[in-house]
Amino acid sequence: VYRANPHYYRIDADGQRLPYIDRLIERIVRSQQATTLAFAHGQSDHEGIEVRNVSWVRRNAERHHYTVYDRGPSQSTNFVWFNQNPGADRRGEPYVQPHKLEWFSDARFRQAISYAIDRDGIVEGVLLGRGLPLWGPVSPANQSWYNPDVRRYPYEPARARELLREAGFSWDAAGALRDRHGNRVTFTLATNEDNEVRQAIGLVFVDNMKQLGIDVRLQPLDFNTFVAKVMNSFDYEAGLLGLTGSWDPQGGWSVYHSSGRLHMWNPNQQEPRTPWEARIDELMERQLRTLDTEERRRYFFEVQEILAREQPMIYTVTVNSYEGLQDRWRNLDPPQMGSLVWNYDEIWAETLLLR
């Protein structure tokens, strides 16, 4: 329970000290579904609504006096990536089998995978039309830093097959994809088991890969177990996760810079492993040293172009953002990004007559 600070510095035009509300209660609930149910039955004032819950939550809106707001594309991203860590564990066993590391390290292989993902199908089938295909690390929600001109990978399985042939892959009589050494192309895709939307995206990915003759096994994991594999043990082959996005490029330093812990495909590098990663490091360091916004945009736009070309993180979709709010609240000032009720100190509630 948060109580109003009687010494808060802001005062309105009539001389009244803000905030207008006396207290704010945040409830700790076991699951996202439980909080959504509570909101939909009028037991809370504000709630973020997952895309697959929007329709049924809206059905209760008139009865419980709330509105579900469509905020447009969110800042969140969803992506697939391959473990490109060339290291070994304490026993000397490589984190990734050498022949698989060869696949994962080839940009043509990653580009082929990207061309084989039916992003529009994910938007329509999984998100029920409430999202957009995503081509890079920045969602179109963040217009200040979004580069609309990065390379795109529309659903083109034929183009994917061309790239795989260029990279030395071929298909056997049964239609299974094999590398130049005869190894069957198969890998395990890990994701967090508590995210139903992400698991559904994973199932679409598995089906898309079958069309290329690639056998993918979806592995739902406890979130903390998955994160430990990605950041500590490196005991995985491929992953499907998402990030919430940041307002400024610097918020993604740990993702983009080769030394970063969230540089998913090969974190914590002492020196950049590839020339293109070295270039991204240089650009991220340059944008950090200037206060010229347009100069920073040029540097970061190039970062996005490199990531789109090399595909170390294969972006899939961004979901739309939906928020539910009780109708009694007044003085809202919805921002382009962020929470509908970010201005807690300025909002107040009216008593509404029951309908």
Side-chain angles (χ1 to χ4, degrees):
V1 177
Y2 299 88
R3 300 192 183 281
N5 177 6
H7 308 294
Y8 187 57
Y9 75 99
R10 294 191 66 192
I11 298 174
D12 69 13
D14 296 325
Q16 180 174 342
R17 188 174 296 278
L18 276 60
Y20 296 121
I21 58 176
D22 296 320
R23 61 180 179 170
L24 172 66
I25 300 173
E26 288 193 1
R27 293 177 177 170
I28 300 175
V29 182
R30 185 177 297 274
S31 71
Q32 179 70 44
Q33 193 68 13
T35 64
T36 302
L37 281 168
F39 174 79
H41 288 86
Q43 297 170 15
S44 63
D45 286 278
H46 176 242
E47 177 71 12
I49 311 295
E50 292 187 352
V51 291
R52 303 180 94 183
N53 293 328
V54 170
S55 294
W56 73 262
V57 172
R58 277 182 168 157
R59 286 197 291 268
N60 279 349
E62 184 174 358
R63 180 180 180 184
H64 291 292
H65 317 293
Y66 62 74
T67 300
V68 175
Y69 295 86
D70 182 350
R71 305 292 311 285
S74 68
Q75 289 195 80
S76 68
T77 61
N78 289 279
F79 51 86
V80 171
W81 81 99
F82 296 103
N83 186 352
Q84 298 183 52
N85 193 322
D89 61 22
R90 294 178 180 178
R91 299 170 299 173
E93 295 293 328
Y95 295 131
V96 183
Q97 295 177 48
H99 66 283
K100 293 190 177 185
L101 182 62
E102 183 179 338
W103 311 339
F104 300 162
S105 299
D106 191 327
R108 293 168 297 183
F109 177 83
R110 301 191 300 269
Q111 290 165 355
I113 298 299
S114 194
Y115 275 118
I117 298 174
D118 186 0
R119 293 171 174 83
D120 289 329
I122 293 173
V123 169
E124 294 304 318
V126 176
L127 305 182
L128 307 178
R130 300 183 177 111
L132 292 171
L134 192 62
W135 313 107
V138 180
S139 161
N142 191 344
Q143 285 295 309
S144 296
W145 299 102
Y146 172 66
N147 183 347
D149 299 320
V150 299
R151 179 173 174 176
R152 299 190 174 200
Y153 295 80
Y155 181 51
E156 295 182 4
R159 177 59 179 144
R161 287 176 172 267
E162 289 177 8
L163 285 164
L164 290 170
R165 289 190 187 96
E166 289 177 17
F169 294 87
S170 59
W171 288 264
D172 63 21
L177 185 66
R178 295 187 179 274
D179 67 14
R180 68 178 76 245
H181 309 294
N183 297 299
R184 173 79 192 274
V185 179
T186 178
F187 57 85
T188 299
L189 178 70
T191 192
N192 52 313
E193 64 184 4
D194 60 340
N195 190 308
E196 293 182 2
V197 169
R198 199 161 292 145
Q199 286 197 58
I201 292 173
L203 290 173
V204 174
F205 180 85
V206 169
D207 188 62
N208 289 162
M209 294 305 106
K210 287 180 182 177
Q211 299 182 49
L212 293 182
I214 298 175
D215 177 36
V216 180
R217 296 178 300 277
L218 186 63
Q219 183 185 37
L221 296 171
D222 169 75
F223 183 75
N224 290 333
T225 300
F226 185 21
V227 170
K229 285 178 175 288
V230 172
M231 304 183 73
N232 297 318
S233 70
F234 312 117
D235 177 26
Y236 74 101
E237 293 179 337
L240 168 60
L241 263 180
L243 294 172
T244 57
S246 59
W247 295 66
D248 185 273
Q250 191 55 27
W253 175 277
S254 186
V255 177
Y256 309 129
H257 200 278
S258 64
S259 66
R261 198 175 181 199
L262 291 177
H263 195 72
M264 300 289 194
W265 61 97
N266 186 12
N268 307 319
Q269 298 178 40
Q270 296 299 313
E271 296 290 338
R273 183 173 175 234
T274 63
W276 59 266
E277 286 174 291
R279 177 59 178 165
I280 289 177
D281 287 0
E282 178 185 0
L283 291 165
M284 289 301 295
E285 290 162 9
R286 284 187 177 183
Q287 65 83 29
L288 185 62
R289 292 195 295 263
T290 179
L291 297 178
D292 186 320
T293 301
E294 287 306 312
E295 187 177 359
R296 294 187 72 213
R297 277 170 56 87
R298 287 196 301 272
Y299 293 147
F300 190 58
F301 272 34
E302 186 178 343
V303 168
Q304 295 175 67
E305 290 162 5
I306 294 170
L307 290 171
R309 183 187 72 231
E310 299 294 336
Q311 291 289 285
M313 299 167 77
I314 302 171
Y315 291 92
T316 58
V317 294
T318 182
V319 300
N320 284 0
S321 174
Y322 294 86
E323 289 182 73
L325 185 68
Q326 285 282 328
D327 292 334
R328 64 198 184 101
W329 289 100
R330 298 290 183 266
N331 209 29
L332 301 178
D333 182 21
Q336 180 182 350
M337 298 182 292
S339 173
L340 187 67
V341 291
W342 66 276
N343 58 329
Y344 279 123
D345 56 347
E346 298 176 342
I347 62 176
W348 71 83
E350 286 186 355
T351 302
L352 299 182
L353 295 177
L354 296 180
R355 299 193 290 265

